[in-house]
Amino acid sequence: MACGVAGAQTRPVADMVLVHGTVLTVDAKDSTAQALAVRGGRIVAVGTDAAVMRLVGSHTQIVDLKGRTATPGLIDTHGHYGEAGSDDLFHVTLPDATSIAEIVRRVKARVDKAKPGEWIVGFGWDEGKLAEKRYLYASDLDAVSPNNPVVMTNSTGHYLTANSVALRLAKIADDTPDPAGGTIDRDASGHVTGILKENALRPISALIPPATPAQMRDGILMEAANLHSEGVTAVKDTASEHVWEAYRDLNREGRLDLRVCMLWRAGQSMVTANAVLAQMRAASPVERVYDGRLATCGAKIFMDGSSIARTAWSYDPWDKDGVADGTNTGYPGFDPEVYRSMVRMFHQAGVSVGTHAIGDKAIDWVVDTYAQVLKEKPTIGLRDSIIHAYLPTPHATETMAMLEAKYDAGYPEVQPVFLYWLGKSMPPNFGPERLARTMPLKTYLDHGIRWGAGSDYAVAPLAPRLGIWASVEREVMGGAHSFGTAEAVDVHTALRSYTAWAAPLIFLEREVGTLEVGKRADIAVWDKNPYAIPASELKNLRCEMTFVDGKVVFTRAK
């Protein structure tokens, strides 16, 4: 227990105090306290009830925690909230679908309300959760959608199912060759099945009507409310110029009660990378500096695809339904040398890079690229990241540790919730050796590597409590057999990956991530103390209140 009250020497009258609870500061010593005080949106004291109550004045708001626990506001270091919000509001949602028949019923219900020719779009099916344990195919959708193009995207976002109408509109037929960095799935007779992976999505995606600016803003506000209900106060989003504009408008209007640091998608060529750099500079002239609650974090590049789609770039072949998938080792999303040139260009411009990399060969290429360009132009503090970083080799792990220590770069941004949410779909593709080393959090910890955790929403649920629980328990949905349990970490480490370790990855470590004097009062209040309950109960933690800059943005109804 912290003695006295830190920061109380000048005895400022507080605007608000939180008392009679447990305060998990997540500071360098993992200190705990009973209470804290806020003035002007910042924490001015942390300590005992008695000491903090001495800062109460006639207008101070007193929040009685009644034994509950306060933590720093949680940070999601990788999501797609700007796009997912409008999808959740206006498209068919499928994360809870348990059969192909259920998906078809939902599609039919939307088709019945649509005009002929209107696009029907959905997201979130996962073959691992379906009773049929197989892909959704065009033939499943065609019977209920003869006059409407239908596209249902898998939960990973790396492959989708298009019905026959959509395939015709996109000019995808049996004789259409696979694009570079993409796969058109075909049956044993060579006919297209409707499954398109990676770059093969592009002809379809180009035809889907985009969300309007108003729809995007409404979606962001809805997702911000959902995040607040789970104790989240900041996110690192990944999107494009149109999403930036929606965030910018809300920020200017004072309606963005969420800190957002955005990675801009940089495409797959030097042409697209230079164009995005120009867009970034026009929108936010100084990277990593916040205007209100919004900042540019850097550029996002895809090095490979998805482990579940078996398109992640690996040294050894993936499995398919538990047996080797021929010689399929996945593939890079585009020419790796072009990727390296793009990273070099961004580094020369002083811009951070976050790279999607899942397969071990992809991760090696990414960390070696970071090491090479940083050696060419040593720069401290760009905090380049490896997004996902499922399957690092020992070489990659050692290189990440070097990059963090020498350059403040090379940070894994992981999604522990995948172990739970996608855990049924991993074993048929991974094999036992890969499963044992998937998302190696303990190995990272043993090498002194810090990581930031997140959800990749809408790929997985946004609630960090599920990621904290999965980091510790590594339990698969439905109680299925856990894997990689030797890579589990304790709850203190798991919470730190959503707070103190996450804050630097959105360039706000001086402002948020811990509950210390001088930090912004971004706070989450929980019904129970995560340090004091059985690990199995972490997934059931309930957020009771959330504060941003000392302002209440969420209170759970009684």
Side-chain angles (χ1 to χ4, degrees):
M1 180 67 68
C3 296
V5 55
Q9 292 85 352
T10 57
R11 304 258 183 229
V13 174
D15 297 328
M16 177 181 72
V17 295
L18 277 64
V19 294
H20 305 142
T22 300
V23 177
L24 305 182
T25 68
V26 199
D27 64 6
K29 297 180 179 180
D30 214 6
S31 307
T32 62
Q34 292 177 325
L36 62 80
V38 176
R39 180 180 175 85
R42 291 186 181 271
I43 297 169
V44 294
V46 181
T48 64
D49 286 332
V52 167
M53 285 299 291
R54 287 199 292 269
L55 307 180
V56 171
S58 59
H59 299 290
T60 302
Q61 177 188 2
I62 300 174
V63 177
D64 188 348
L65 293 175
K66 296 181 180 178
R68 296 173 296 182
T69 297
T71 69
L74 306 183
I75 300 167
D76 186 331
T77 60
H78 183 65
H80 304 272
Y81 293 99
E83 295 167 331
S86 58
D87 289 346
D88 287 344
L89 281 175
F90 302 107
H91 292 163
V92 180
T93 56
L94 301 172
D96 61 340
T98 57
S99 70
I100 287 170
E102 174 62 24
I103 294 172
V104 172
R105 282 195 294 273
R106 294 186 194 185
V107 170
K108 183 179 185 301
R110 186 61 62 94
V111 169
D112 288 346
K113 298 177 182 178
K115 299 175 182 177
E118 183 177 338
W119 282 82
I120 309 299
V121 180
F123 183 93
W125 63 271
D126 175 1
E127 63 272 23
K129 298 187 183 76
L130 301 179
E132 297 84 352
K133 301 299 181 187
R134 66 167 175 85
Y135 285 162
L136 173 71
Y137 294 118
S139 56
D140 297 311
L141 300 173
D142 286 345
V144 299
S145 56
N147 301 309
N148 293 82
V150 177
V151 174
M152 296 290 122
T153 302
N154 174 267
S155 61
T156 65
H158 287 264
Y159 52 110
L160 57 75
T161 306
N163 74 344
S164 294
V165 177
L167 291 169
R168 285 196 299 271
L169 290 172
K171 298 182 172 58
I172 296 172
D174 293 346
D175 59 354
T176 304
D178 287 356
T183 302
I184 300 172
D185 188 60
R186 305 166 204 272
D187 63 20
S189 301
H191 301 303
V192 295
T193 65
I195 294 285
L196 307 174
K197 297 181 178 181
E198 308 303 344
N199 285 346
L201 277 64
R202 291 186 170 195
I204 291 280
S205 300
L207 298 175
I208 298 173
T212 67
Q215 287 173 333
M216 281 191 178
R217 291 193 295 271
D218 287 346
I220 289 168
L221 292 174
M222 180 192 72
E223 298 298 7
N226 292 337
L227 287 160
H228 291 151
S229 74
E230 293 288 353
V232 180
T233 55
V235 300
K236 192 174 189 178
D237 208 342
T238 300
S240 59
E241 184 177 23
H242 298 302
V243 173
W244 172 269
E245 291 169 351
Y247 276 126
R248 178 202 62 198
D249 291 348
L250 292 171
N251 188 47
R252 288 177 176 174
E253 294 165 6
R255 295 199 291 157
L256 188 62
D257 286 331
L258 185 73
R259 304 192 198 283
V260 179
C261 201
M262 198 178 98
L263 291 176
W264 295 60
R265 291 197 188 99
Q268 297 183 341
S269 70
M270 290 299 295
V271 172
T272 58
N274 278 290
V276 166
L277 178 61
Q279 290 176 350
M280 291 167 56
R281 288 280 162 83
S284 180
V286 183
E287 293 85 17
R288 305 181 295 278
V289 174
Y290 281 73
D291 175 12
R293 293 184 176 137
L294 181 64
T296 286
C297 256
K300 163 77 178 289
I301 309 175
F302 285 86
M303 188 67 258
D304 68 347
S306 162
S307 58
I308 293 174
R310 302 184 300 282
T311 56
W313 190 26
S314 302
Y315 289 109
D316 299 315
W318 293 98
D319 282 7
K320 182 178 182 181
D321 297 326
V323 297
D325 186 14
T327 60
N328 175 27
T329 57
Y331 40 78
F334 61 108
D335 184 344
E337 291 294 347
V338 174
Y339 163 80
R340 187 159 286 175
S341 296
M342 292 168 66
V343 174
R344 179 178 289 110
M345 184 274 291
F346 281 119
H347 271 230
Q348 293 291 328
V351 174
S352 307
V353 175
T355 305
H356 168 115
I358 289 176
D360 47 13
K361 195 169 185 177
I363 296 170
D364 273 357
W365 189 267
V366 169
V367 298
D368 286 346
T369 296
Y370 289 166
Q372 181 175 321
V373 300
L374 284 166
K375 183 177 180 180
E376 292 167 359
K377 183 185 178 183
T379 308
I380 308 299
L382 288 179
R383 297 175 188 164
D384 307 295
S385 63
I386 306 96
I387 299 167
H388 306 308
Y390 273 21
L391 293 162
T393 62
H395 165 74
T397 302
E398 292 165 5
T399 306
M400 288 179 204
M402 180 277 291
L403 289 169
E404 288 194 12
K406 189 172 182 179
Y407 298 110
D408 190 14
Y411 293 90
E413 291 176 344
V414 303
Q415 297 75 43
V417 66
F418 283 8
L419 298 167
Y420 161 68
W421 190 249
L422 301 178
K424 287 186 176 181
S425 295
M426 290 178 178
N429 300 330
F430 281 45
E433 187 276 331
R434 275 197 184 102
L435 283 174
R437 60 185 178 90
T438 296
M439 212 171 295
L441 303 184
K442 182 63 164 58
T443 295
Y444 286 154
L445 190 65
D446 289 346
H447 282 77
I449 294 170
R450 289 172 289 156
W451 65 89
S455 66
D456 200 12
Y457 188 79
V459 174
L462 58 81
R465 57 188 165 82
L466 296 176
I468 292 169
W469 166 70
S471 299
V472 179
E473 292 286 273
R474 296 180 73 100
E475 184 176 312
V476 176
M477 177 177 282
H481 182 65
S482 301
F483 51 83
T485 53
E487 293 293 350
V489 295
D490 64 29
V491 65
H492 297 257
T493 303
L495 180 60
R496 192 167 291 275
S497 71
Y498 283 93
T499 54
W501 289 352
L505 301 183
I506 59 170
F507 304 95
L508 282 177
E509 70 276 12
R510 295 181 179 179
E511 299 289 320
V512 299
T514 63
L515 298 181
E516 297 181 90
V517 172
K519 294 284 184 80
R520 293 188 179 274
D522 289 9
I523 305 164
V525 175
W526 305 90
D527 63 332
K528 296 178 181 178
N529 180 350
Y531 290 177
I533 60 177
S536 60
E537 295 181 16
L538 291 168
K539 64 181 180 294
N540 300 319
L541 282 168
R542 188 175 67 242
C543 181
E544 302 275 304
M545 299 181 75
T546 305
F547 302 82
V548 174
D549 284 328
K551 170 189 170 184
V552 178
V553 294
F554 170 75
T555 301
R556 186 166 299 281
K558 295 182 180 179

